[in-house]
Every structure is written in structure tokens, then in C-alpha cells.
Amino acid sequence: MEFVDLKAQYRRIAERVDARIRRVLEHQRFILGPEVAELEQRLAARVGAKHCISCASGTDALLLALLALKIGSASGRNSPDEVITSPFTFFATGEMITLAGARPIFVDIEPVGHNLDPEKIEAAITPRTKAILPISLYGQPADMDAINAIAARHGLAVIEDAAQSFGALYRGRHSGNLSTIGCTSFFPSKPLGCYGDGGACFTNDDALAAAMEQLRNHGQQGRYRHTRIGINGRLDTLQAAVLLAKLEVFDEELTARAEIAGRYTALLKDSVPTPRLLHERTSAWAQYTIEVDDRASVESSLKGAGIPTAVHYPTPLHLQPVYAELARDVGWRIGSFPAAEHAADRVLSLPMHPYLEPHQIEEIAEALKVALRGPVGASAQRV
Ligand SMILES: *Cc1c(COP(=O)(O)O)cnc(C)c1O
């Protein structure tokens, strides 16, 4: 069994993907070829944003957003800019804030969606705060209206890390187009994935769009005229071609993911805390993540039954070795963000992709129930 079965997907869409790739091989415009522009138009139309700027990864998307907003060293300010974000995320979120020359300021999550808790944000705002960067974790959007309202009161930008949530809705609006800039990833195992690295930024602001378009291409405004310090962060034409083929089945895949999540929950809800969707939200179901008390033993029992699992993520960012100095400076330690730390100790993601068969879901659920009972003989030993 695969955690994410990309081969099953390829068996379904091989003809479309091969045809799209072949066209690129024929025209040979590998850098910013016609597929890139076509993809950007389709993605922008899909989320209802004025602009889509594709780029080389979700990580680059975050960096481009921060650079376009002149947050960090690009600001020219002496004291470090601050960006409020969640400590319970993939490392890239905090990493790009730091790489841009700003400081990530962590705020705890709410325990249901595992996203930035809007009630805790305002206390963390200082005169140095420039933006709020919520993550829409596991595919479910953060409470973006509440976060946008706080940002508006304080004159801050909001960057949504929608790397896991492309395809999800919040109050009928698309994740990725819920704030100043939305960033997503096309890493192969994300809900919409390419065959390598890829990403995109969305915005409705013309000036930010122009800035990100230049920044992803060495800050060029016209050929060899450099008006900004940027990066080589373009999306490959080949990856755009793969994404165009995959977009044709994406809505069906989202429906399949939601059905699979529903099946899991029906089978597991009496045994273990299952994922819950908050009010007026859908999920792209990048992950189906439960919470267990004795994770190590559940993981090894499932592994023994041939079922792959993953932990997203075992260590919150404020406890990462690289942030030890920042943590000392700001005063973060174990216990600083109890909801994030509690989740990090307990979350366990089960296999999730649109091609999971009902019999596989049943097999996983049965194996999980056995695993939750603990190792055979453990209770006897305790007596
Ligand atoms: C995957 C991911 C990223 C990084 O995306 P890449 O395309 O791998 O660079 C950033 N943030 C979150 C929350 C992610 O899940």
C-alpha cells in the first residue's frame, strides 16, 4: 500500500499527461513556455484571483510573497520586521520568513483545525509586525476573515500558506485567494501536484503581481534590465504541462478525497479523534490526520500490518534547533504553545489520495483499531 499512490493516478491520466509533455518536447520552450501562461490563466480563473504567478516551489512562493511586500532585509529598516505565523507547520513557512531577513513570531493554534488561533494574534502584534502568515493545514483553510479583520485594523498584509489547501473553500471562496497574497505548492504529493517541484502565488493587487513576476526571474523588468534582487524561481514549462493535464481531473479527485475522508471518519470516529471541519469550510484533504495517545506503538503496529503513516509534524518550529537562539531571545520554551505541542505529540496521518479503494480504507481502519488496543500482552505485563 502507498501513502500517496501517484502511479494509480498516472494510470488514469497517462494519455493526457503524455500528450501534454510531448507538445513541450516538440516546441522546446522549456523556460516560461506557452503552458506556463496557460496554466496561470486557468489557475487564476479557478480561484477567482486577478493574478497567478507560477514559480518553482511552494517555498519560493512564500519567499516571493515576502520579497514583493518588502518584508525583511528588502525593507531597508534596521530593526527586524516581524511576521506572525503558526509554529505547527512544515518548516518552509518559518524558514522563508527568516531567509527574507524577518523574524517569525509564533502564535499558538486552535485545536480543531490546527490553524493559527485568531484570538491569540493581537497580543503578539508589535510596531515591527508587518504581516500575518497563517497556514491552511492538512487542506482546511484557517479562519481567514477573522485574520484579515485583525490585519486590517493594524495595517498588516496577510499571506496564506495554501500549500496543502489548494482546492478548498472558505465561505464559498477559494483557498489561495483569501488574503493579500496566497501561496501554494505543486510538490508531487500535494492535492494538485506536478512531477517535480512547483508552486504559485495569487493576488488581486497589480503592483504585487508585477513585483512577484519580476522577482521570480532575477528581478528583471524587460530582458537584462534588473530593477530588483530576485531569484531563479520560475516554474518549468514541463511541470506546467503536467499540471494542465492534472487539472482536468482535479475536481473529481477533490470529490474522491472528500468521500474517502468521510469513509475513514465513519469507520473510526468511535475509536479515535478524527479530523473535523470548522464552520463554512471544505478541505482539500491533503492529509487525513487523526490523534493518538501512544503514537510510537500505533505507528509500529500499522507498519507491521503493511500500512504506511506519516507525522505532520513532530516538532513545532519554536523547538527546532535552528531557532534555539531566537527562542532564547523571545522567551519561547517547551510549554509556550501548548496546543501546537499537544498536536505535534499526537498527530498521525493515514494514507490519503483519491485512488484509495473502499477495501483499503476498511483494511486501514481495522488495523488501526487493533493498533489502538496496544501490543498483545501489554495489559497482562502491567498486572
Ligand atoms: C509543502 C509545503 C510547503 C513547501 O512547498 P514546496 O513546494 O515543497 O516548496 C510550504 N508550506 C507548507 C505548509 C507545506 O505543506
Side-chain angles (χ1 to χ4, degrees):
M1 194 183 300
E2 306 275 342
F3 188 73
V4 174
D5 194 346
L6 291 171
K7 287 181 194 149
Q9 183 195 47
Y10 182 63
R11 282 195 291 277
R12 176 178 176 201
I13 60 170
E15 259 178 60
R16 296 176 229 243
V17 171
D18 294 0
R20 278 283 189 179
I21 289 177
R22 205 173 320 113
R23 234 176 287 166
V24 178
L25 297 180
E26 279 158 12
H27 69 56
Q28 301 267 315
R29 291 170 62 191
F30 298 117
I31 304 296
L32 298 179
E35 283 78 6
V36 173
E38 183 183 349
L39 178 74
E40 289 174 339
Q41 276 159 21
R42 295 251 177 118
L43 295 177
R46 183 185 170 89
V47 304
K50 197 164 171 199
H51 304 281
C52 168
I53 299 90
S54 64
C55 60
S57 68
T59 303
D60 278 358
L62 293 167
L63 184 61
L64 291 171
L66 292 159
L67 294 177
L69 287 161
K70 294 197 158 60
I71 290 168
S73 37
S75 72
R77 286 177 281 265
N78 284 329
S79 60
D81 288 345
E82 295 177 356
V83 177
I84 291 174
T85 193
S86 159
F88 192 54
T89 177
F90 178 59
F91 184 62
T93 322
E95 184 184 29
M96 289 307 106
I97 295 170
T98 305
L99 193 70
R103 263 188 171 191
I105 295 296
F106 300 118
V107 163
D108 210 359
I109 57 171
E110 42 79 18
V112 177
H114 300 109
N115 288 321
L116 201 56
D117 186 343
E119 308 222 324
K120 305 211 164 90
I121 291 174
E122 235 154 358
I125 294 176
T126 74
R128 291 179 299 280
T129 309
K130 293 294 173 304
I132 309 173
L133 206 172
I135 296 92
S136 293
L137 201 70
Y138 304 150
Q140 175 172 201
D143 192 352
M144 296 301 291
D145 281 354
I147 293 168
N148 287 330
I150 295 164
R153 275 203 293 282
H154 297 269
L156 308 175
V158 178
I159 303 168
E160 183 197 10
D161 182 343
Q164 302 184 7
S165 59
F166 189 76
L169 297 175
Y170 174 87
R171 300 191 167 148
R173 290 176 284 134
H174 286 261
S175 180
N177 188 26
L178 299 170
S179 61
T180 320
I181 299 175
C183 300
T184 196
S185 163
F186 306 124
F187 185 82
S189 60
K190 302 281 158 112
L192 180 64
C194 56
Y195 289 161
D197 282 305
C201 300
F202 298 94
T203 187
N204 294 301
D205 182 304
D206 295 342
L208 289 175
M212 291 190 284
E213 203 173 340
Q214 293 164 17
L215 285 162
R216 76 165 174 196
N217 198 12
H218 299 291
Q220 286 187 87
Q221 192 185 26
R223 197 165 202 192
Y224 302 137
R225 182 168 181 274
H226 302 269
T227 54
R228 301 163 190 273
I229 297 299
I231 58 173
N232 174 353
R234 302 166 302 239
L235 180 71
D236 288 345
T237 309
L238 278 168
Q239 299 303 345
V242 170
L243 289 165
L244 283 164
K246 288 204 186 187
L247 258 184
E248 291 180 40
V249 296
F250 185 54
D251 281 313
E252 285 167 36
E253 291 186 341
L254 285 172
T255 304
R257 284 177 185 273
E259 278 169 15
I260 289 160
R263 266 189 201 174
Y264 264 136
T265 298
L267 293 168
L268 295 174
K269 66 180 189 311
D270 296 331
S271 310
V272 72
T274 50
R276 280 186 288 158
L277 295 184
L278 288 156
H279 195 49
E280 295 181 292
R281 270 167 257 200
T282 68
S283 177
W285 294 107
Q287 306 298 345
Y288 186 90
T289 305
I290 57 168
E291 293 190 32
V292 294
D293 292 326
D294 189 358
R295 185 170 61 202
S297 96
V298 173
E299 277 177 301
S300 79
S301 170
L302 287 173
K303 192 172 174 203
I307 292 161
T309 58
V311 175
H312 305 104
Y313 296 91
T315 307
L317 268 52
H318 67 289
L319 302 177
Q320 288 290 350
V322 71
Y323 284 134
E325 200 182 311
L326 177 62
R328 258 195 311 277
D329 263 21
V330 184
W332 297 322
R333 56 183 69 82
I334 292 175
S336 291
F337 305 110
E341 292 167 30
H342 184 78
D345 286 341
R346 294 162 51 90
V347 290
L348 185 67
S349 300
L350 302 179
M352 173 49 98
H353 60 82
Y355 302 94
L356 261 185
E357 301 281 351
H359 74 86
Q360 292 178 303
I361 301 167
E362 277 157 34
E363 182 189 332
I364 295 162
E366 280 317 305
L368 180 65
K369 286 178 194 173
V370 170
L372 288 168
R373 274 179 231 134
V376 179
S379 52
Q381 273 164 24
R382 273 200 294 273
V383 170

